[in-house]
Amino acid sequence: QVQLVESGGGSVQAGGSLRLSCVASGSILSILAMSWYRQAPGKQRELVAAIFSGSSTTYADSVKGRFTISRDNAKNAVYLQMNSLKPDDTAVYYCNLQTSLFSRYWGQGTQVTVSS
């Protein structure tokens, strides 16, 4: 079984920064991708950023230039550095791990609240 533990969420003022962390543990033989999703109240869960096995990355247009995703393969960890936060970034952020074509795992979610 695989477990994902997230940390780093909280409340900040607009323009502030947060760094989210996600550490995976358990029986992990390989990692195809690690990613961050978010879901605001009443809205669909959306992909925020992803980093793939070849170290390529992708970002939602709304966060480009402000967020940076990175990973530490030795620790099975993924991070999301969030700068210049806006109220629209307020959401529950979820870590996702893909280990094979049909194997995906989710973290429990961490709340990020940005106030003005």
Side-chain angles (χ1 to χ4, degrees), residues 46-84:
E46 64 175 345
L47 176 67
V48 178
I51 185 164
F52 305 97
S53 60
S55 296
S56 62
T57 58
T58 188
Y59 296 91
D61 287 342
S62 59
V63 308
K64 285 182 179 177
R66 299 188 298 121
F67 291 10
T68 302
I69 189 170
S70 61
R71 70 185 185 194
D72 186 336
N73 289 335
K75 298 180 179 180
N76 287 332
V78 63
Y79 310 96
L80 186 67
Q81 179 66 46
M82 305 185 294
N83 298 326
S84 301

Side-chain angles (χ1 to χ4, degrees), residues 7-111:
S7 62
S11 298
V12 297
Q13 297 276 349
S17 298
L18 286 172
R19 186 173 187 259
L20 305 183
S21 298
C22 174
V23 179
S25 62
S27 182
I28 302 172
L29 300 180
S30 63
I31 297 177
L32 298 182
M34 300 189 79
S35 58
W36 290 95
Y37 289 74
R38 68 186 182 187
Q39 187 167 26
K43 299 186 67 176
Q44 181 178 324
R45 185 174 297 187
E46 64 175 345
L47 176 67
V48 178
I51 185 164
F52 305 97
S53 60
S55 296
S56 62
T57 58
T58 188
Y59 296 91
D61 287 342
S62 59
V63 308
K64 285 182 179 177
R66 299 188 298 121
F67 291 10
T68 302
I69 189 170
S70 61
R71 70 185 185 194
D72 186 336
N73 289 335
K75 298 180 179 180
N76 287 332
V78 63
Y79 310 96
L80 186 67
Q81 179 66 46
M82 305 185 294
N83 298 326
S84 301
L85 283 162
K86 304 175 180 179
D88 284 348
D89 295 319
T90 296
V92 177
Y93 284 70
Y94 298 91
C95 177
N96 179 266
L97 168 69
Q98 185 170 6
T99 60
S100 71
L101 184 61
F102 300 108
S103 298
R104 296 174 66 96
Y105 304 90
W106 293 93
Q108 78 284 358
T110 184
Q111 177 71 48

